[in-house]
Each structure stands twice: as C-alpha cells, then as structure tokens.
C-alpha cells in the first residue's frame, strides 16, 4: 500500500533548517499520525510523502512557500508597554497571547524591546524558511 489522499498515515520525521539545525522531531516519541489531504500539515510535507510505502525513508526539501509562507510585514507591530500586564518584564523571544480581530487567540513573539514599546511578530517562527525533513513511513491505513 502507498501513501495517497484520504489515507491515515503514521510517520517519524526530523525537521531541519537548511543549515542542519533541528527544529522538531518525532524520533523519541510516538509517530505523527494524520490523514493525507485534511490540510492539517503544511502542503509540502503532505505532497512529499504521497507514493511512499511502509518502512520507506526519504529526505524531502520544502520551499518556504509550501511550508509556512513568506514573512508578512503586516504581522509585525509595535505595542505600547502600557498595553502589557504591569508585572510583565518583556524580553526578546518571549511569547505572548493576543486577541485577533475576529476574537481568536494569536501567539506573538517579542522581537525588540524599546523604552516605551515592544515590537511583536505574529508570523509563524518558520515563516520565510526553507525546510528539510527526514521521513520514515511507519504505517498506512
């Protein structure tokens, strides 16, 4: 049996950046389980495993436009420190929750701290980056 649309698939993976640094891996935990075509994973990952068989291993390279997209400048904003909780000491790299215009919760990362304001980025941390995955198909149903 081969990986195809609507098949339930279990995979082990190691995700890396082009420089070889690892950003995520399932190797020391349960395999990732998902249904191909549901859109829960980045398109390049799903497309890259179609046609693979159980126990097959493959290296796939995913350009940023098939992963988390480009860095969007409109998702980088200034926030007055007066809008932050009074007991918060903002630091670069700190993640905060914010509310989107539709009421949804958005995760933002502080990328710069200035005297009276912070610069936050709501882009996915891997936006604008080409990704490399070592994949092993564990099961197909």
């Amino acid at each position: 049996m081969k990986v195809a649309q609507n098949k339930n698939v279990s995979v082990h993976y190691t995700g890396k950046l082009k420089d070889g640094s690892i950003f995520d891996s399932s190797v020391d935990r349960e395999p990732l389980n998902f249904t191909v075509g549901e859109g829960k994973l980045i398109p390049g990952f799903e497309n890259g495993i179609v046609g693979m068989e159980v126990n097959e291993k493959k290296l796939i390279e995913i350009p940023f436009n098939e992963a988390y997209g480009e860095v969007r400048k409109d998702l980088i904003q200034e926030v007055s420190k007066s809008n932050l909780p009074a007991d918060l000491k903002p630091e670069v790299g700190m993640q905060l929750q914010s509310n989107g215009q539709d009421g949804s919760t958005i995760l933002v990362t502080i990328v710069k701290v200035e005297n009276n304001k912070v610069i936050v980025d709501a882009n996915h941390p891997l936006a604008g980056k080409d990704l490399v995955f070592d994949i092993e198909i564990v099961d197909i149903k």
Side-chain angles (χ1 to χ4, degrees):
M1 184 182 304
K2 294 183 183 243
V3 174
Q5 292 293 313
N6 302 314
K7 293 286 186 190
N8 185 275
V9 180
S10 294
V11 301
H12 270 303
Y13 67 91
T14 299
K16 299 180 260 186
L17 300 178
K18 287 283 195 169
D19 67 6
S21 59
I22 296 173
F23 60 82
D24 194 15
S25 179
S26 70
V27 173
D28 292 329
R29 53 183 203 253
E30 291 294 312
L32 175 64
N33 186 283
F34 63 98
T35 300
V36 178
E38 283 188 337
K40 293 186 178 178
L41 300 179
I42 57 175
F45 191 98
E46 286 197 4
N47 295 337
I49 67 167
V50 169
M52 291 180 70
E53 298 176 344
V54 172
N55 297 323
E56 184 176 350
K57 295 180 180 182
K58 183 177 178 182
L59 178 82
I60 57 174
E61 295 189 22
I62 304 173
F64 69 87
N65 60 327
E66 292 180 32
Y68 295 97
E70 293 185 50
V71 173
R72 291 181 34 197
K73 301 287 186 214
D74 62 314
L75 297 179
I76 301 171
Q77 299 179 345
E78 291 183 4
V79 176
S80 171
K81 283 186 178 176
S82 64
N83 290 334
L84 301 176
D87 61 343
L88 180 74
K89 183 181 183 306
E91 297 178 16
V92 171
M94 183 180 284
Q95 292 189 319
L96 307 172
Q97 287 186 351
S98 180
N99 292 322
Q101 293 176 345
D102 62 358
S104 63
T105 301
I106 299 171
L107 194 62
V108 298
T109 303
I110 296 175
V111 293
K112 189 172 185 182
V113 178
E114 298 180 355
N115 287 336
N116 298 319
K117 64 184 176 188
V118 295
I119 311 297
V120 297
D121 186 348
N123 283 288
H124 188 282
L126 296 173
K129 294 180 171 56
D130 296 329
L131 309 179
V132 178
F133 283 91
D134 287 311
I135 307 279
E136 179 182 5
I137 304 298
V138 177
D139 192 25
I140 304 170
K141 294 179 184 165

